[in-house]
Amino acid sequence: MTATAALLAFTLAAAILTITPGLDNALVLRTAAVEGGRRALMAGLGISAGCLLWGTIAALGLGSLLAVSTFAYDALRICAAIYLFYLGVKLLWRTLPGRKTAAGAAGILAAADQPGTTGTGWFLRGCLTNALNPKVGVFYITFLPQFIPAGTDVLRFSLLLATVHAIVGMLWFALLVAATRPLARWLSRPAVTRGLDQVTGAVFIAFGLRLALEKR
């Protein structure tokens, strides 16, 4: 396989994996619908950064530790489960009777676009979602080598593939955010916001449970 063919094949595989419904897409969609496009893009950027981080770790060979060390894998798995529980419970807590929803009709989208609103927290939330997930690390360890042609610089080509994955992810997240814009007024209604928080919170908790109960 030539370098060009490997790159094209990986890009196609990365695109299929990116658009597959999962935790990352749920996070970006919920953030776009409830918190606004800017924050959703920052969350998406964090997710892509988490992928790039795992790609770098795998390229350097450090990620192989997860494949051979049960303790390292389990420690990271429990941390990820706790973090997902935290996010899920926090979202569900906001939907309890008497609690304020994220914002009123157009207020939340307006607040999201106000100058000076920091996106750091949303970036970190997205990044941690992937960085704490050992499955992403194992995926990179087992997946990337299949697309590295013989005779190429393994480190550089691995980093290139991880960068391609991150770029594909950001393009997809931008499409998801754009898709929510025509529905912005409807999505920002308190009842709809509450429903989105409930569904997304349940998804986070379900993924957390799956990680916590997983056996290698």
Side-chain angles (χ1 to χ4, degrees), residues 44-70:
L45 184 61
I47 291 169
S48 295
C51 289
L52 190 57
L53 175 62
W54 272 121
T56 303
I57 291 174
L60 293 173
L62 300 177
S64 58
L65 177 65
L66 289 177
V68 298
S69 173
T70 300

Side-chain angles (χ1 to χ4, degrees), residues 6-22 25 51 139-140 143 147 161-173 175-176:
L7 191 59
L8 291 175
F10 178 81
T11 302
L12 177 60
I16 294 173
L17 290 168
T18 299
I19 66 177
T20 301
N25 288 331
C51 289
F139 161 78
Y140 269 101
F143 194 66
F147 295 90
L161 294 181
T163 301
V164 168
H165 192 190
I167 292 173
V168 169
M170 275 309 301
L171 291 175
W172 172 246
F173 296 144
L175 285 176
L176 288 182

Side-chain angles (χ1 to χ4, degrees), residues 102-115:
I108 197 162
L109 298 177
D113 292 328
Q114 284 179 358

Side-chain angles (χ1 to χ4, degrees), residues 123-142:
F123 175 85
L124 290 176
R125 179 175 294 183
C127 187
L128 286 174
T129 299
N130 267 1
L132 290 177
N133 191 343
K135 288 187 174 182
V136 180
V138 172
F139 161 78
Y140 269 101
I141 295 167
T142 58

